[in-house]
Amino acid sequence: MGSFWMSTEVRVYRSLDETPADFGPCALTVGNFDGVHAGHRELFSRVVHSAREHGWRAAAMTFHPHPARVIAPGRAPLVMTTPEQRAQIMASCGIEEVLVLPFTEETALWSPEYFVRHVLVEKLKARTICVGEDFRFGHKHEGNTFLLQELGLECGFSTQFIPPVRLRGARVSSSRVRALVQAGHVALARRLLCRPFALEGAVVSGHGIGKKETVPTLNLDPAFEVLPGNGVYVTRTTDLATGQQWHSVTNVGTRPTFSGDALTVETFLLGPLRDTPHRIRVEFLARVRAERKFNSPEALKAQIFRDVQSAQRYFRTLDARVPLDARVS
């Protein structure tokens, strides 16, 4: 499996007005695609196959913000990926162009027929539409796969409906991935995502405690909607400017040994660092232990080095001939 962050060309449009006349003809899939898990990847695979078979473009439409933020804010899920991250993952799966449709109160009022005829057919020139078996669309989710199929016969596009992907007998879904990550089960989440769950952002100043009392760390701005549950993890860290990577150990938590109360994401690199990076990506590979309070900074420091040994054993078990992204832990 290729790297989640591979550099692949993809055209991204942020409104219908931006969408060019040559967006289609295309094979198209539509959805929120938060996290971009194994089920989503199956949809992308079908779209890419159809596009190549007919000489069309392979395309996807997603939404921002999540429609629930507009329709039912109190029930809106926390999101795991930004539109930009989703587009990058889609590109690594072969998708050539992405429409990120702004979801507004006006959008929520579109009838299923208007959405299909005006947006999917007239604007995007979809020739085949590939969605999950439970796909719903239009005002109050009045549209379903039966209506989509009927509209396809009228408007001249074919439809493909894909059953849910299952792992260990359970359906792969964004909500399941989200729950696993928040519970700290990042290794299983990785299997559902077909890649490690990752955070990326700016390196920010910490409290200086690690440098003085324990070990120096890179502090990632924790302004994310979904974070792994508090604990210590085996991670892989990348400098987003240079591409340099390190094996690492990351703590997500509140630093109880130092009576902390603010949430932090602190990463200790298992390799030399010359210049502090400005932006990093931290991929969560396996959980080491829960966060806990120690009697002294010295006791915490000793535990950190035991955590480092655990991480080093983890990396030693990986077959050096197989890229880390191709492994399933």
Side-chain angles (χ1 to χ4, degrees):
M1 182 178 299
S3 170
F4 154 40
W5 297 100
M6 67 184 291
S7 178
T8 307
E9 193 68 30
V10 60
R11 300 194 300 175
V12 180
Y13 306 99
R14 297 184 175 277
S15 71
L16 285 176
D17 290 337
E18 280 188 15
T19 307
D22 66 346
F23 189 95
C26 67
L28 178 72
T29 184
V30 182
N32 293 310
F33 304 125
D34 187 33
V36 195
H37 53 62
H40 300 146
R41 289 171 181 265
E42 179 64 23
L43 289 171
F44 302 150
S45 177
R46 299 294 184 92
V47 165
V48 170
H49 176 78
S50 293
R52 290 176 178 172
E53 185 178 28
H54 295 91
W56 301 329
R57 297 185 186 276
M61 173 195 283
T62 187
F63 305 95
H64 183 71
H66 192 290
R69 293 283 172 92
V70 176
I71 299 170
R75 299 197 303 272
L78 302 177
V79 298
M80 295 178 282
T81 47
T82 65
E84 294 79 11
Q85 290 168 336
R86 274 176 267 161
Q88 284 184 294
I89 306 169
M90 291 174 187
S92 73
C93 297
I95 297 297
E96 300 169 280
E97 52 190 6
V98 178
L99 170 60
V100 182
L101 185 70
F103 198 90
T104 64
E105 293 182 357
E106 179 184 354
T107 307
L109 295 176
W110 288 350
S111 69
E113 292 80 5
Y114 178 87
F115 177 66
V116 171
R117 295 179 187 276
H118 176 69
V119 178
L120 305 189
V121 177
E122 294 178 14
K123 194 67 177 178
L124 304 186
K125 300 179 178 62
R127 295 294 183 264
T128 189
I129 298 175
C130 181
V131 292
E133 289 182 341
D134 59 351
F135 180 65
R136 303 298 294 264
F137 60 101
H139 182 52
K140 294 184 178 180
H141 286 175
E142 293 173 347
N144 55 25
T145 53
F146 298 105
L147 178 58
L148 185 64
Q149 193 169 37
E150 289 180 5
L151 291 170
L153 294 174
E154 294 177 18
C155 299
F157 63 85
S158 62
T159 52
Q160 301 180 54
F161 305 124
I162 309 303
V165 171
R166 296 184 175 274
L167 180 66
R168 298 181 180 178
R171 178 179 176 174
V172 176
S173 66
S174 296
S175 59
R176 186 181 174 201
V177 173
R178 193 177 297 115
L180 288 170
V181 170
Q182 292 176 316
H185 302 309
V186 295
L188 182 53
R190 179 180 168 188
R191 295 189 65 185
L192 273 62
L193 291 170
C194 304
R195 60 176 176 84
F197 175 80
L199 302 174
E200 73 167 54
V203 175
V204 296
S205 298
H207 294 80
I209 294 174
K211 187 174 183 180
K212 296 176 182 177
E213 303 285 356
T214 55
V215 296
T217 59
L218 297 178
N219 297 278
L220 185 63
D221 183 351
F224 306 96
E225 293 194 15
V226 176
L227 287 171
N230 287 13
V232 177
Y233 298 87
V234 178
T235 55
R236 178 175 57 187
T237 300
T238 303
D239 182 337
L240 292 175
T242 67
Q244 183 177 2
Q245 292 186 338
W246 300 267
H247 294 167
S248 52
V249 174
T250 299
N251 183 84
V252 179
T254 58
R255 300 176 295 111
T257 301
F258 303 102
S259 301
D261 54 6
L263 189 66
T264 62
V265 180
E266 300 177 292
T267 296
F268 177 53
L269 304 180
L270 308 187
L273 174 65
R274 177 175 299 177
D275 299 311
T276 301
H278 296 292
R279 290 183 61 83
I280 59 175
R281 180 175 65 256
V282 180
E283 296 171 306
F284 290 79
L285 308 177
R287 184 179 171 94
V288 177
R289 61 175 176 85
E291 185 185 44
R292 64 186 180 91
K293 183 174 182 177
F294 291 86
N295 294 327
S296 67
E298 293 75 21
L300 172 57
K301 186 174 183 178
Q303 180 60 57
I304 291 172
F305 285 115
R306 287 192 289 272
D307 297 337
V308 168
Q309 291 175 344
S310 296
Q312 290 171 333
R313 285 194 297 270
Y314 175 90
F315 286 113
R316 282 198 298 269
T317 62
L318 296 176
D319 185 347
R321 294 171 298 177
V322 180
L324 183 59
D325 283 328
R327 299 297 296 255
V328 174
S329 59

